[in-house]
Amino acid sequence: MRDLVRRSELINNDDDEEDEGDNEGAVDEEDQDMLMARAESLHIAKVVSFLTSVVPNLRRLDLARNYWYGSMEVPERRARKAKLVHLDLYGIGNPQPMLFEHLQKSTDFEMLETLSLPDLSERTCEWLDGNPMSLPRLKELKMYVQHDYIRYQGQVGDSCMCFENLLMNVPPLKKLKLVGDYNIVLENCLEHHSTLEILTLHEKDDELDMDLASGIHLKLLEGILRCGNLTFLDIQVHRSRGDRGIWKILQDSTLETLILTLDCQVRRSDSTFENRKEVLECAATDEALARSIYDVCDLEYLMVTSTYSGVQAFNTEDSNTVMAVLQELTGSYEVARVEGRVHVVEMAREMLPADKDAIKLDSDIMRVFRSIWPSKGGDWRDDWHSLPLVVDT
């Protein structure tokens, strides 16, 4: 990225760019970040123009940062618009409006079938809203829905409409992947995209406040499963004792493949004994639970993964003990029917810096554990099991 600062003169030398003003004197950190972002966006646009000119039959292009430093001189007689079928910009950070402005000049989007958009700033999202790309053949879209610009102190922001408009300005899709705060954006666009066959909805848990990472809303899930062609769904579900409605909704679906992440958590301010108990009950994932979900949803293939974000409920505990217990309870399983028989395979567990043999058996979390699964006289790790899945009838 530092090399991009040295390339920033590209901005001032480009006739299409705005005057950046007097560069004399100190430049604050925010202005420097913007300068770097603008330089990178312009550089990427020039790379696209160069590649599509010298490789006229180029149809697929995946872009990331810091990938080209050579000459990009293109004879004017060879300049032409790219007729890309696939364009992936997902690995680019903080793209500026100029990137998309230049792409529209150098690329014929009429042929594009697959598009991946990166983390769009509010300014870029609003620019795209006012300058929509013509994508008549688009079938697949991957897009990061920027959380910070959609929700502020629990209020829906103006950019929510921008993201909705982006989804409404493309033709009905067959495949869609949204990462971020998708619940707010997707609900109003489902009727337009009722043609969906494959849908992936992920939250960016490492950047979101976990109090907001609540999984898919049931109303949205019901709407999604009304898409008659949908056969593949990848979602995160927040587990609780009252989650039986989730299984009822999934039970009535026509899905063939389900990739399911089960998240057990309580809010930081709600860590009573009963809520800690609920975290452990919902975290417990074993082969029996995986088989039960597979049977209830009548699937061809299931991958179920449970997470341990519920660690927040035990934030006053010894960290090694908490992580050891939650690591033991959570896991990932694949379930599929092969030659008429259902096979369940436990996937490799993530290795955590927790010593399972050094846990404190008299700790608060173990007292909660024992209130659910009494000791059988042996190793505590052999005592637990998942709780039966409850489905409304």
Side-chain angles (χ1 to χ4, degrees):
M1 284 294 293
R2 294 185 183 279
D3 291 336
L4 292 173
V5 176
R6 294 196 294 272
R7 285 206 302 272
S8 63
E9 66 272 10
L10 289 171
I11 297 175
N12 295 323
N13 293 335
D14 194 282
D15 293 336
D16 296 330
E17 303 309 317
E18 300 175 357
D19 183 7
E20 291 297 314
D22 189 359
N23 290 325
E24 295 182 2
V27 179
D28 63 32
E29 184 176 349
E30 184 176 352
D31 289 340
Q32 192 173 52
D33 289 344
M34 180 60 70
L35 184 64
M36 294 169 66
R38 287 173 62 83
E40 182 177 24
S41 291
L42 182 57
H43 181 67
I44 292 167
K46 287 181 176 292
V47 168
V48 174
S49 180
F50 170 74
L51 290 176
T52 56
S53 295
V54 299
V55 188
N57 294 323
L58 186 67
R59 294 295 178 264
R60 296 179 59 87
L61 183 57
D62 292 8
L63 293 174
R65 295 181 178 184
N66 300 334
Y67 39 76
W68 191 283
Y69 294 96
S71 171
M72 291 186 290
E73 294 296 327
V74 181
E76 187 174 347
R77 58 184 173 80
R78 297 183 63 182
R80 68 188 73 193
K81 279 196 171 186
K83 294 186 179 295
L84 296 175
V85 175
H86 168 95
L87 178 61
D88 189 342
L89 304 172
Y90 199 73
I92 298 170
N94 194 20
Q96 299 300 298
M98 71 174 69
L99 169 60
F100 294 95
E101 185 176 357
H102 279 270
L103 284 176
Q104 290 190 7
K105 293 178 180 178
S106 63
T107 307
D108 181 358
F109 289 111
E110 297 290 322
M111 303 296 293
L112 201 66
E113 297 180 0
T114 305
L115 175 63
S116 295
L117 293 175
D119 182 355
L120 301 176
S121 68
E122 183 176 25
R123 181 166 173 256
T124 302
C125 186
E126 290 175 350
W127 187 90
L128 285 172
D129 188 23
N131 301 271
M133 295 181 287
S134 177
L135 302 164
R137 300 194 182 191
L138 194 70
K139 298 176 182 178
E140 301 180 12
L141 175 63
K142 176 181 178 181
M143 183 169 69
Y144 179 67
V145 182
Q146 175 59 273
H147 178 275
D148 292 341
Y149 301 122
I150 290 181
R151 193 190 294 271
Y152 177 72
Q153 294 181 346
Q155 301 298 317
V156 176
D158 293 339
S159 289
C160 179
M161 185 61 68
C162 293
F163 284 107
E164 286 184 12
N165 289 345
L166 286 177
L167 284 174
M168 295 299 289
N169 284 334
V170 299
L173 299 170
K174 290 186 175 181
K175 183 176 180 179
L176 175 63
K177 179 174 182 178
L178 296 179
V179 180
D181 205 344
Y182 54 80
N183 279 296
I184 298 176
V185 172
L186 185 56
E187 186 174 332
N188 295 330
C189 305
L190 274 177
E191 184 175 353
H192 179 65
H193 293 291
S194 60
T195 52
L196 282 171
E197 299 174 5
I198 298 173
L199 178 61
T200 299
L201 301 173
H202 286 175
E203 293 176 354
K204 203 170 180 62
D205 289 339
D206 56 336
E207 293 187 5
L208 294 183
D209 185 322
M210 293 307 301
D211 286 349
L212 296 176
S214 57
I216 191 167
H217 295 170
L218 292 188
K219 183 179 179 181
L220 175 60
L221 181 58
E222 287 179 316
I224 288 170
L225 295 178
R226 284 196 289 269
C227 296
N229 297 326
L230 192 70
T231 58
F232 178 104
L233 182 61
D234 182 347
I235 57 172
Q236 175 177 318
V237 168
H238 173 61
R239 289 211 70 190
S240 68
R241 286 176 181 155
D243 64 5
R244 61 184 63 188
I246 295 171
W247 312 118
K248 174 60 177 175
I249 294 171
L250 290 171
Q251 183 182 39
D252 295 335
S253 76
T254 58
L255 293 174
E256 297 175 0
T257 298
L258 177 61
I259 312 297
L260 188 62
T261 300
L262 303 176
D263 178 54
C264 56
Q265 63 163 340
V266 296
R267 297 182 183 276
R268 292 186 178 94
S269 59
D270 195 7
S271 56
T272 63
F273 183 91
E274 194 61 27
N275 283 321
R276 291 181 173 199
K277 186 176 177 179
E278 182 177 357
V279 166
L280 297 192
E281 289 173 351
C282 294
T285 305
D286 56 13
E287 179 177 330
L289 181 66
R291 281 181 176 271
S292 182
I293 295 173
Y294 179 84
D295 291 338
V296 164
C297 299
D298 193 21
L299 301 164
E300 293 184 6
Y301 174 84
L302 167 71
M303 183 170 73
V304 57
T305 301
S306 54
T307 66
Y308 35 82
S309 62
V311 68
Q312 295 176 69
F314 303 92
N315 56 10
T316 61
E317 294 266 352
D318 173 74
S319 59
N320 280 345
T321 299
V322 171
M323 296 305 287
V325 172
L326 289 175
Q327 182 188 12
E328 175 63 30
L329 294 178
T330 55
S332 297
Y333 293 85
E334 286 185 297
V335 190
R337 189 177 301 277
V338 180
E339 297 181 351
R341 296 184 59 187
V342 175
H343 293 261
V344 182
V345 177
E346 183 177 10
M347 303 171 67
R349 290 176 179 265
E350 181 181 355
M351 297 305 296
L352 298 174
D355 184 356
K356 291 183 180 181
D357 297 320
I359 70 166
K360 298 177 180 178
L361 296 177
D362 61 346
S363 63
D364 285 344
I365 192 172
M366 286 306 296
R367 282 191 285 272
V368 176
F369 181 93
R370 285 305 183 199
S371 73
I372 307 169
W373 301 287
S375 175
K376 298 178 182 178
D379 192 323
W380 68 273
R381 289 168 288 188
D382 298 327
D383 293 342
W384 70 273
H385 56 80
S386 64
L387 273 65
L389 201 66
V390 180
V391 182
D392 283 334
T393 57

